[in-house]
Amino acid sequence: MWIYEKKLQYPVKVSKCDPKLAKFLIEQYGGADGELAAALRYLNQRYTIPDKVIGLLTDIGTEEFAHLEMIATMVYKLTKDASVEQLKAAGFEGHFADHDRALFYHNAAGNPFTVTYIQAKGDPIADLYEDIAAEEKARATYQWLIDMTDDVDIQDSLKFLREREVIHSLRFREAVEMLKEYQEQKKVF
Amino acid sequence: MDRQWRPYDAYHSPLDPCPPRPKAYIVPPNQMMVTQSPGMKQYAPFDALKHGTLWPDLYSPYDPPTRGGR
């Protein structure tokens, strides 16, 4: 079970009325390397991985939902007061036709979220390497998002999220080392 | 350029339509270790929140102007 804290993991401040950025940020909401994909991937892999790394997958999978909330907050703030004309000018008209200003799990190109974005192979090494790759891809996505805005406040939140990917990647690589075990012991079989 | 950045060159043909753009990619400090060693220097709590990590040696700054050509 989970305990919910009614606050964001890191503050989100949006200072520039730029609905177009919402169209790009949604990549991290419902995209292949987005926060939803990350959370579902890690929390699902927990069941069939050795005990010593289950806690790590729980912790990181949970944190990904906290990141998902931050992205949702950014998208919401960027679109909630935008006029239909502004949304059309921002290339958001396809989204508006289907969802009004509601958030939806699709990527920046409008493709709906699909579980085929994630995998659970059952092989602990294979699964952890997928997780490492996912973190590095999410880090790269945050870089391109930071590049596409000059709103320093939103950049600040995106930089925080990017750094978390850096840390998560290292943790998953440490988990691989834990599963290798025996490497520093003289073990006779 | 920050020491986490790696500039590189790509062939530019005289027939290429756009002027060449400087190219670089970033290698975050997590790539320099397999496992984190114990006792690494820590930020104060508020600075840790600001940086997104407790450890200065794992901090990867990302500022678009430092990225070559973007």
Side-chain angles (χ1 to χ4, degrees), chain A residues 50-117:
Chain A
D51 285 357
K52 59 175 104 173
V53 295
I54 290 175
L56 179 70
L57 286 170
T58 306
D59 287 353
I60 297 183
T62 301
E63 186 177 341
E64 305 297 1
F65 277 126
H67 296 172
L68 191 70
E69 280 192 317
M70 289 177 61
I71 298 294
T73 303
M74 293 177 198
V75 172
Y76 172 69
K77 283 175 175 252
L78 285 164
T79 54
K80 76 183 171 82
D81 295 314
S83 67
V84 175
E85 282 311 310
Q86 283 175 314
L87 291 175
K88 281 167 80 177
F92 220 73
E93 64 271 34
H95 182 106
F96 184 81
D98 199 7
H99 309 291
D100 185 355
R101 292 170 185 81
L103 279 80
F104 194 69
Y105 296 110
H106 56 66
N107 72 2
N111 303 118
F113 181 81
T114 162
V115 170
T116 54
Y117 287 155

Side-chain angles (χ1 to χ4, degrees), chain A residues 148-185:
Chain A
M148 280 193 289
T149 180
D150 56 2
D151 178 342
V152 292
D153 289 314
I154 218 162
Q155 279 185 343
D156 184 60
S157 301
L158 292 173
K159 286 174 184 177
F160 171 86
L161 291 167
R162 177 184 170 277
E163 177 66 30
R164 297 310 302 151
E165 313 292 349
V166 172
I167 299 298
H168 291 171
S169 168
L170 177 59
R171 295 294 170 257
F172 284 131
R173 278 185 291 119
E174 287 170 344
V176 170
E177 295 305 309
M178 287 164 67
L179 293 187
K180 286 182 188 172
E181 61 185 353
Y182 299 152
Q183 57 190 335
E184 280 167 23
Q185 307 167 17

Side-chain angles (χ1 to χ4, degrees), chain A residues 3-22:
Chain A
I3 293 172
Y4 185 75
E5 277 200 56
K6 199 173 176 180
K7 58 188 174 190
L8 294 177
Q9 187 190 10
Y10 186 88
V12 167
K13 187 176 175 200
V14 181
S15 301
K16 192 179 165 191
C17 177
D18 179 15
K20 189 155 204 154
L21 185 61

